[in-house]
Amino acid sequence: MNDAPKTAPAPAPDSAARRQFVLDAAKMACGIGFAAGGLALYAKQSKALPPDALRPPGALAETAFQSACIRCGLCVRDCPYKTLDLAKPESNVATGTPYFNARTVPCEMCEDIPCVKACPTGALEHSLTDIRKAKMGLAVIVDQETCLNYLGMRCDVCHRVCPLIDKAITLDPEHNTRTGKHTRFIPVVHSEHCTGCGKCEKACVLEEAAIKVLPFALAKGALGKHYRLGWKEKERSGESLVPADTPHQYNLPEGYRYELGGRGLVRDEPALSTLPPAPGTAKGAR
Amino acid sequence: MAALKRPGAEAIVAKGWFAAHKWLIVRRVSQAGVLALFLLGPLAGVWIVKGNLNFSYTLNVLPLTDPYVLLQSLAGGATPEGKALIGAAIVLVFYFLVGGRVYCSWVCPVNLVTDVAHWLRRRLGIGRTVRIPRKLRYYALAATLALAAATGTVAWELVNPVSMVHRGLIFGIGAAWAVVLAVFLFDLLFAERGWCGHVCPVGAFYSVVALKSPLRVTAARRADCNDCMDCYAVCPEMHVIKPALKGAARGVGPVILSPNCTNCGRCIDVCSKDVFRFGLRYDNRVTESAGRMPAGAVAACSDRA
Ligand code: SF4
Ligand code: SF4
Ligand code: SF4
Ligand code: SF4
């Protein structure tokens, strides 16, 4: 009979059995509590998406995404370019969730967005129907010291491969102060249009890309909410919001006066040789 | 309880090898078949089923969602959409009907691992076992849901061996093999039927689904039991058998009502007296009159009092 099943002691009316039962329950609760605590810490860490991992188009904000995505991999399956992958347990992306690495395989911005269509849960928002509205991340020139265009050459590769060329990324001409006679074409990314597809990062000709797609929150600065850009406000209302220049009366360097609405800061004649040069007029003063 | 006698030996003599392994074979075919369907896509390019056990899409019409994962997702604060919800409903109804833990013995890939561990354990005569209460899994189940709510993520899915193994086989195993190995060694060296029988919250969830499941194993001809104990030896949840098999004297019906029973049918195979069969939970009348009770059954019952 030594083979008989060992059943857990049921809460019998006698106190010894009851004590055993309570003890068992307490032990289990403790054990589980320990394990759960460990898992909670791990879960908290996994909530931070590493900066080189990007979510598929339409993905909810990272925290919402991690509760919504059920790790089925249908988005991975329906991506025709094999861009996406499900995170393996050893990777630092939350186990089983879809991600891609732009430098390995970028998103090709499919017109019909099959990955989003495949998602059964809405972790990839089905309201995203125009791939140009996707916000997987934001491209940033992370290194001006090595970007060939910054160095004054005409690489332009990131600009040329961008699916939203001249919108998401433009080449802004600028005087090359090193040579003194050339123009540098500075790649500038515009957050309003960049989808974070990563084609620029993939295409960057350097050993290590000088342009990288980063999570939006990492890549984007933000003005204080109370900031107003005067020239924008002027454009909007058709006139300056502040009254015309107030006269500068105070703290003018000796021998200077201010011409309101006219030439601005002007030096009284005749010039006194002991006067410091007027700000911004260094050459003229010498 | 070392492996002195191979359980089922009597049944092989009485019924022949095939009849003594019938349900085991069908079950293994089912486990392998489910896996093959999932693997056919990535390995052979034949896309009958896409996805994995968490959610799959069959022939682009049939969504199937693991309701337990979806529950965690809900607990984590997500609002899943139609396809996932419909899939969960289908799966819930199916497992309610056939017995929740049919998932465990007929589908789950980890069951293959723990079954091998158990087989090896008996072969090697490893008797030492850590005592873990079988209720632990319900605490684990509650903890995973609480954790999802507390962290706002499907936290259990970060470590769940079941989905990790299945996903690993289909999408690339990575380090998931270490998790399989851990479960295997746990069952082999530490606790008999440790993972599936005591710890796994997935199995606990499907036990809950099985609470009122109509399809059950019944010890319909329990009067014929000759106390060979082979059914206990093969049952992954051996505590479920006794109430039904030895309950006649106490007026307990022959149906195995415990939701822990995985409906694996192995007890049906190894019983040389054909005591067990699949049946419905409603067919649970006590037919034996006390006078016709075999002596062994009474003895077995009385030792519990
Ligand atoms: S938009 Fe196309 S290329 Fe990009 S992730 Fe989705 S399916 Fe893949
Ligand atoms: S299809 Fe949706 S739920 Fe499935 S892995 Fe992709 S994002 Fe997650
Ligand atoms: S990530 Fe690069 S290529 Fe893609 S839209 Fe943005 S700037 Fe263009
Ligand atoms: S108890 Fe868990 S691991 Fe074991 S067979 Fe069931 S679901 Fe799979």
Side-chain angles (χ1 to χ4, degrees), chain B:
Chain B
M1 48 187 290
L4 300 174
K5 179 192 82 164
R6 295 283 297 277
E10 276 177 48
I12 295 175
V13 174
K15 311 194 280 191
W17 189 91
F18 192 77
H21 291 85
K22 189 173 90 187
W23 289 109
L24 182 65
I25 294 167
V26 181
R27 193 159 70 84
R28 293 287 183 247
V29 167
S30 157
Q31 288 171 321
V34 170
L35 211 51
L37 276 177
F38 276 101
L39 285 173
L40 220 49
L43 294 187
V46 184
W47 292 103
I48 298 169
V49 182
K50 256 185 209 170
N52 57 41
L53 282 179
N54 283 10
F55 177 89
S56 64
Y57 208 34
T58 303
L59 295 170
N60 285 324
V61 285
L62 177 67
L64 296 173
T65 317
D66 183 340
Y68 173 47
V69 178
L70 202 70
L71 197 61
Q72 293 173 71
S73 180
L74 282 166
T79 40
E81 288 184 0
K83 224 193 269 172
L85 291 171
I86 294 168
I90 295 173
V91 170
L92 272 178
V93 169
F94 174 77
Y95 282 118
F96 163 73
L97 290 176
V98 299
R101 294 203 69 202
V102 160
Y103 176 84
C104 294
S105 55
W106 295 73
V107 175
C108 178
V110 173
N111 176 272
L112 286 163
V113 177
T114 57
D115 270 2
V116 170
H118 182 254
W119 174 83
L120 199 61
R121 192 184 170 88
R122 287 198 140 253
R123 265 310 170 85
L124 299 177
I126 300 173
R128 204 171 53 85
T129 183
V130 177
R131 195 182 148 274
I132 307 169
R134 286 195 185 263
K135 282 203 183 77
L136 182 82
R137 52 186 139 185
Y138 297 114
Y139 285 72
L141 173 61
T144 56
L145 295 175
L147 215 53
T151 62
T153 72
V154 190
W156 172 242
E157 284 305 295
L158 292 172
V159 293
N160 181 2
V162 180
S163 50
M164 222 182 245
V165 169
H166 196 253
R167 195 189 306 116
L169 289 172
I170 298 168
F171 288 88
I173 193 84
W177 64 266
V179 180
V180 186
L181 188 67
V183 169
F184 179 78
L185 293 178
F186 178 66
D187 267 30
L188 180 67
L189 303 175
F190 290 98
E192 183 171 14
R193 298 287 187 188
W195 180 259
C196 297
H198 301 77
V199 182
C200 178
V202 184
F205 174 83
Y206 282 104
S207 281
V208 174
V209 174
L211 276 172
K212 296 277 174 245
S213 284
L215 184 69
R216 302 275 56 181
V217 173
T218 167
R221 293 170 55 189
R222 57 186 172 182
D224 292 346
C225 171
N226 65 357
D227 288 326
C228 72
M229 309 301 284
D230 278 2
C231 53
Y232 293 119
V234 294
C235 180
E237 301 279 351
M238 49 163 94
H239 63 290
V240 308
I241 294 182
K242 193 166 173 181
L245 184 61
K246 301 298 178 190
R250 289 184 296 135
V252 177
V255 175
I256 295 179
L257 289 175
S258 166
N260 287 154
C261 168
T262 69
N263 277 5
C264 69
R266 191 73 183 116
C267 53
I268 306 176
D269 281 349
V270 298
C271 180
S272 60
K273 300 289 177 196
D274 275 337
V275 166
F276 301 93
R277 64 172 171 78
F278 279 114
L280 295 176
R281 74 182 297 123
Y282 318 108
D283 197 8
N284 199 16
R285 273 161 303 135
V286 185
T287 46
E288 303 87 347
S289 61
R292 272 178 47 228
M293 280 288 290
V298 177
C301 288
S302 55
D303 73 2
R304 191 156 192 271

